[in-house]
Amino acid sequence: MENENHVNHGEVVNDIENEAPLDGNGNRRYWSEFPERNMSYTGPLLVKRTNTTSQIAIVGANLSPIESLDYEMFENEIFKQDWRSRGKIQIFQYVILKWGFAALIGLGTGLLGFFSNIAVENIAGFKLLLVSDLMYKQRYILAFVALAGCNICLAAAAASLCAFIAPAAAGSGIPEVKAYLNGIDAHSILAPSTLFVKVFGSILGVSAGFVVGKEGPMVHTGACIASLLGQGGSRKYHLTWNWLRYFKNDRDRRDMITCGAAAGVAAAFRAPVGGVLFALEEAASWWRSALLWRTFFTTAVVAIVLRAGIQYCATGKCGLFGEGGLIMYDVSTANVTYRGADILAVLLLGTLGGVLGSIYNYLVDKVVRTYSILNEKGPGFKILIVVTIAFLTSCCAYGLPWLATCIPCPDDPSVSCPTVYESGNYKNFHCPAGHYNDLASLFLNTNDDAIRNLFSTRTFKEFHISSLFIFFVTIYFLGVVTYGIAVPSGLFIPVILAGAAYGRLVGRLFESISKLDTGLYALLGAASFLGGTMRMTVSLCVILLELTNDLLLLPLVMLVLLISKSVADSFNKGVYDQILKIKGLPYMEAHAEPYMRNLVARDVVTGPLVTFSGIERVGNILHILRTTGHNGFPVIDEPPFSDAPELCGLVLRSHLLVLLKGKNFSKDKVLTNQNILQRLSALDFAKAGSGKGIKLEDLDIEEEEMDMYVDLHPISNASPYTVVETMSLAKAAILFRQLGLRHMCVVPKSQHRPPVVGILTRHDFMEEHVHELYPNLKPHRWTE
């Protein structure tokens, strides 16, 4: 739950710095009490109501305590002193380290992407080789037992890693990375254990034959690598370095994690430019020109690492099947001339992709919500669900090819048909010599090889229309029921598979009037389904063109993406936005909702305001820290320290704890900021890394110290962002998101009033909060 500063609500929040108790499935629940009024959060909630309090627990994601990140530059006296003390050498160190870390992120992500490809290809390759060998010997029952047994064992191993080591590693991870870059801190999603499970869990899950991909997890993997490098060292394990203190803040970590997300896409698809555009269009909520250069440099490093890996595997040192996962889906050999009838087919594909994508998102939403309820029964039940889906997938992959008829092999002598002991387009399955089973060529292959078969050009009659229809329906269904189980699973590959299947099917239906190759129809179908589910345009277009090595398709891919996104947007949101909603992450959209224009900032500011004086009594600070969950407090100067009450800054809970820990107290209520500056450094107030920061219970304040005073001016942000109370809520929301704020002070419009009337946090902009305050408000559009 968000342990955020709702200073304007006056809630009394249990200290969720401590670990909350585990529930039945090993996840944690975090509870709050709100004595003034009922408070709503986004996401699934458990609510207990009494006459005086409401207790609310977020049970959607069940991640770590969710707070907001401090992307704002906190300009207090400590920071200013540290900045003034930096010379040219320190600035040079900082710049060099940022570029060095960008290179390390690219190197690490590229190596892990290469390792994942090799591992999946070899594990799945040997499994399929065993099944093909048994089928060739006509030991059909034993072949199914081998397939199902291998899939279940691999799936159970992947589920065990997720259930017992890192539950946050389940799913694709893209929504969580997107939320982090939006300013939401769910710490465990970037933990070292999550990285470990993400890498090995995705390898096991994809090898188990699930209709999932390792591309989404690669984005999460890149972000985890960047987060580990961006910790600035560890004082707990004495792994820190004086230079690394520059990175102990949320702003620099955000930039590095953006580079990591771009590197993940580049490693997954060998699309360096697409990775940069993905980070810009989909992942990052804030962007700077300097960040563009660093992400581009990071993805370039990834491309170099993967190219070196391809050349290494070309020597045959990557195992029997090691080279397959690093090959592009090359369609550049096809004829790309098109005419009016082809444009009509593309329009149909775009419309169909939008409709199918919106239905897919709707079903995924329902399935993930159902799994969230079922997973509460414990880790064992999570594993049971995974094993059940693995068995269902094995039954479909082995049973459905029996419905297909055998097709004679093509006459081309350069084609290996049937392919028995290797991956390829023509699987023999149970067919006689010189024949192949087209459904087996799709089902009994790795997902990468199945896509390659569907994208293959100049193979017009390779797949029957009935086989393409069966494969599309099956993949569509399996993709829906598989997403949300306790394994690392990406959505790119299932969507590409299903889209390529119905795209090739449309190509077969238009064969009498169209001149486009069916492989190109498969590519356009994949693009339409991607646009209909993920609602991305520019980045997807570039990724697909880099993936298939055919720039001539650019106009058609652009057209089909625009149509599919426009059609799907009329029904529901993109799949990642829906997952964010399900997980209860308070994501702020780039645009303000229409109903916000009917409200002003003061309309959502309620409850008593908690403030500190510029020179505050130690006992008062401790009492407020113990009885509230606020993370930020306005600091007010009053006479004789000022002519009239005035807002002199904003102080954070974490900084107060550091100040109290250092016991920089005085017996008299006087300014002591110069003395404090000599005893404190900026490193003392730096963002804590993976280790825990100072907790309230870590303080050892003596009884006689409770009546002493502490000067808060040196640690107060002297330039907090403020908005006048009459500013429209829509305008305030846009400012809040674009500036990357955690707190926004609301000041009065008239004089002779307190200098601050409340504080806005991201929860005050959430639809549920506004709707609860104004249930009779009829906005233009309420999102679902």
Side-chain angles (χ1 to χ4, degrees):
M1 187 194 69
E2 170 87 20
N3 180 21
E4 193 48 85
N5 164 34
H6 288 280
V7 297
N8 46 313
H9 305 319
E11 67 271 66
V12 179
V13 183
N14 296 335
D15 184 15
I16 63 172
E17 303 276 2
N18 299 324
E19 292 284 87
L22 291 170
D23 62 14
N25 60 346
N27 297 321
R28 301 190 183 278
R29 297 189 178 183
Y30 302 89
W31 292 85
S32 261
E33 294 182 3
F34 301 86
E36 298 299 324
R37 62 178 180 80
N38 300 335
M39 185 69 188
S40 290
Y41 286 82
T42 55
L45 304 175
L46 292 180
V47 182
K48 293 173 78 174
R49 302 186 184 276
T50 65
N51 292 332
T52 58
T53 67
S54 292
Q55 292 183 317
I56 301 178
I58 292 181
V59 298
N62 290 319
L63 300 173
S64 304
I66 300 175
E67 299 184 1
S68 289
L69 295 162
D70 291 308
Y71 290 154
E72 177 189 358
M73 193 66 70
F74 209 79
E75 294 182 346
N76 56 26
E77 287 300 323
I78 303 293
F79 167 80
K80 292 178 181 178
Q81 177 180 266
D82 179 67
W83 185 257
R84 288 191 295 264
S85 66
R86 295 186 186 182
K88 292 183 178 180
I89 295 178
Q90 286 78 18
I91 295 174
F92 179 76
Q93 291 173 351
Y94 174 71
V95 173
I96 291 297
L97 277 177
K98 291 192 85 168
W99 286 96
F101 278 152
L104 289 176
I105 292 168
L107 178 63
T109 308
L111 290 174
L112 282 180
F114 174 72
F115 169 72
S116 297
N117 271 309
I118 300 305
V120 168
E121 289 294 316
N122 280 284
I123 295 173
F126 281 110
K127 176 191 71 177
L128 296 172
L129 180 63
L130 173 62
V131 175
S132 297
D133 186 56
L134 292 172
M135 290 292 296
Y136 186 73
K137 297 177 182 178
Q138 298 184 354
R139 304 175 69 177
Y140 300 129
I141 296 178
L142 189 58
F144 172 72
V145 172
L147 178 66
C150 290
N151 286 346
I152 288 173
C153 290
L154 292 168
S160 298
L161 289 176
C162 279
F164 294 108
I165 298 179
S172 83
I174 291 179
E176 289 83 355
V177 173
K178 185 176 177 179
Y180 187 94
L181 295 177
N182 187 259
I184 303 167
D185 185 15
H187 178 69
S188 63
I189 65 169
L190 300 175
S193 58
T194 304
L195 173 61
F196 173 81
V197 174
K198 205 73 181 183
V199 173
F200 290 96
S202 64
I203 290 173
L204 294 170
V206 175
S207 301
F210 284 125
V211 184
V212 298
K214 54 186 180 297
E215 285 68 22
M218 277 305 305
V219 175
H220 196 176
T221 297
C224 287
I225 294 173
S227 176
L228 291 178
L229 292 174
Q231 296 296 324
S234 172
R235 283 180 286 184
K236 179 179 179 181
Y237 297 106
H238 305 288
L239 297 176
T240 190
W241 186 26
N242 193 40
W243 286 18
L244 298 179
R245 72 182 187 275
Y246 303 136
F247 297 92
K248 287 183 173 290
N249 63 83
D250 288 327
R251 176 183 286 259
D252 284 311
R253 290 187 194 174
R254 174 194 68 190
D255 291 350
M256 294 178 66
I257 290 171
T258 303
C259 292
V265 174
F269 295 108
R270 285 178 54 205
V273 180
V276 175
L277 293 175
F278 173 84
L280 174 61
E281 180 182 5
E282 183 66 14
S285 294
W286 299 280
W287 197 262
R288 297 179 295 115
S289 59
L291 187 57
L292 178 67
W293 282 99
R294 259 192 298 279
T295 52
F296 187 68
F297 172 67
T298 305
T299 56
V301 173
V302 174
I304 293 171
V305 171
L306 292 181
R307 172 56 60 183
I310 292 173
Q311 293 177 350
Y312 177 78
C313 287
T315 63
K317 297 179 180 179
C318 294
L320 185 60
F321 301 94
E323 191 179 351
L326 295 171
I327 298 176
M328 282 187 175
Y329 311 129
D330 198 337
V331 297
S332 59
T333 58
N335 182 17
V336 196
T337 57
Y338 45 88
R339 51 187 185 176
D342 300 319
I343 300 298
L344 290 176
V346 169
L347 295 176
L348 174 62
L349 276 176
T351 305
L352 191 61
V355 173
L356 291 174
S358 59
I359 296 173
Y360 190 88
N361 289 0
Y362 173 81
L363 296 176
V364 165
D365 180 87
K366 299 302 179 185
V367 168
V368 172
R369 291 182 185 274
T370 303
Y371 283 151
S372 299
I373 298 173
L374 296 177
N375 287 338
E376 292 182 7
K377 298 183 181 293
F381 207 81
K382 288 183 179 180
I383 298 173
L384 179 61
I385 294 175
V386 172
V387 169
T388 302
I389 300 299
F391 181 75
L392 174 64
T393 303
S394 301
C395 292
C396 292
Y398 187 83
L400 291 177
W402 292 92
L403 302 177
T405 58
C406 294
I407 304 174
C409 288
D411 297 330
D412 189 353
S414 63
V415 173
S416 175
C417 179
T419 53
V420 180
Y421 295 108
E422 59 182 345
S423 61
N425 285 31
Y426 305 100
K427 289 290 184 180
N428 180 261
F429 200 61
H430 68 291
C431 294
H435 293 71
Y436 71 95
N437 186 304
D438 56 350
L439 265 181
S441 299
L442 296 174
F443 279 115
L444 294 180
N445 256 324
T446 63
N447 292 332
D448 283 345
D449 284 334
I451 294 173
R452 194 171 292 108
N453 292 347
L454 288 169
F455 282 2
S456 61
T457 56
R458 300 181 181 177
T459 54
F460 183 70
K461 299 290 187 179
E462 181 182 351
F463 300 102
H464 275 303
I465 292 179
S466 59
S467 297
L468 291 171
F469 180 78
I470 292 172
F471 183 75
F472 163 69
V473 172
T474 306
I475 293 300
Y476 193 94
F477 167 74
L478 289 177
V480 168
V481 300
T482 303
Y483 193 81
I485 61 176
V487 295
S489 54
L491 275 173
F492 274 100
I493 291 300
V495 171
I496 292 175
L497 269 175
Y502 79 71
R504 197 170 181 109
L505 177 60
V506 170
R508 290 296 305 273
L509 296 176
F510 276 76
E511 61 185 5
S512 60
I513 59 174
S514 176
K515 297 298 182 182
L516 277 181
D517 191 284
T518 52
L520 300 182
Y521 270 105
L523 172 61
L524 294 173
S528 70
F529 202 12
L530 283 168
T533 54
M534 299 179 183
R535 314 297 163 82
M536 294 182 284
T537 52
V538 180
S539 57
L540 276 181
C541 182
V542 174
I543 289 171
L544 288 172
L545 294 179
E546 289 185 286
L547 191 65
T548 55
N549 195 27
D550 194 351
L551 285 175
L552 295 176
L553 274 176
L554 177 61
L556 295 182
V557 173
M558 292 174 64
L559 180 61
V560 79
L561 282 170
L562 288 171
I563 294 173
S564 61
K565 182 185 185 303
S566 301
V567 171
D569 279 341
S570 63
F571 294 101
N572 52 28
K573 287 189 174 184
V575 65
Y576 295 136
D577 293 322
Q578 290 186 340
I579 298 300
L580 284 169
K581 193 80 170 178
I582 293 172
K583 289 179 177 288
L585 299 172
Y587 184 84
M588 291 197 69
E589 299 288 349
H591 61 277
E593 295 293 344
Y595 64 84
M596 290 184 175
R597 304 189 184 280
N598 301 324
L599 302 170
V600 294
R602 68 182 172 211
D603 291 336
V604 294
V605 173
T606 60
L609 178 67
V610 180
T611 64
F612 287 126
S613 298
I615 301 174
E616 187 60 80
R617 196 171 70 91
V618 173
N620 289 343
I621 297 175
L622 278 175
H623 174 72
I624 291 174
L625 292 180
R626 286 170 178 163
T627 56
T628 70
H630 307 345
N631 273 307
F633 303 88
V635 179
I636 308 296
D637 267 342
E638 298 178 343
F641 300 101
S642 62
D643 295 334
E646 63 180 22
L647 175 66
C648 69
L650 186 79
V651 64
L652 296 180
R653 168 185 284 265
S654 59
H655 292 183
L656 287 170
L657 292 173
V658 173
L659 195 63
L660 294 177
K661 182 76 172 178
K663 295 192 175 183
N664 297 284
F665 309 145
S666 64
K667 293 183 179 180
D668 301 318
K669 195 174 183 179
V670 294
L671 293 170
T672 59
N673 53 344
Q674 292 301 321
N675 295 331
I676 293 178
L677 288 174
Q678 294 174 1
R679 285 179 281 176
L680 296 173
S681 68
L683 187 59
D684 297 326
F685 297 91
K687 176 83 172 184
S690 298
K692 296 179 180 178
I694 298 176
K695 304 294 186 299
L696 191 61
E697 56 270 20
D698 295 334
L699 301 181
D700 184 21
I701 306 297
E702 303 293 338
E703 188 64 33
E704 59 271 16
E705 294 173 327
M706 299 290 282
D707 291 325
M708 300 181 73
Y709 294 91
V710 59
D711 187 0
L712 302 183
H713 292 92
I715 64 170
S716 298
N717 183 5
S719 56
Y721 283 96
T722 61
V723 296
V724 69
E725 60 183 343
T726 54
M727 177 181 285
S728 72
L729 191 62
K731 188 175 180 179
I734 293 173
L735 284 173
F736 192 96
R737 186 186 193 272
Q738 290 182 346
L739 295 173
L741 302 183
R742 185 178 188 180
H743 309 99
M744 177 183 280
C745 296
V746 180
V747 297
K749 186 177 180 61
S750 59
Q751 297 179 347
H752 309 297
R753 293 176 58 189
V756 59
V757 298
I759 288 186
L760 293 175
T761 66
R762 68 172 49 242
H763 284 295
D764 297 306
F765 297 102
M766 293 296 106
E767 177 186 326
E768 289 78 7
H769 170 47
V770 177
H771 196 195
E772 184 181 29
L773 288 176
Y774 302 97
N776 296 324
L777 180 67
K778 295 182 179 180
H780 298 292
R781 179 172 61 89
W782 290 99
T783 56
E784 294 184 1

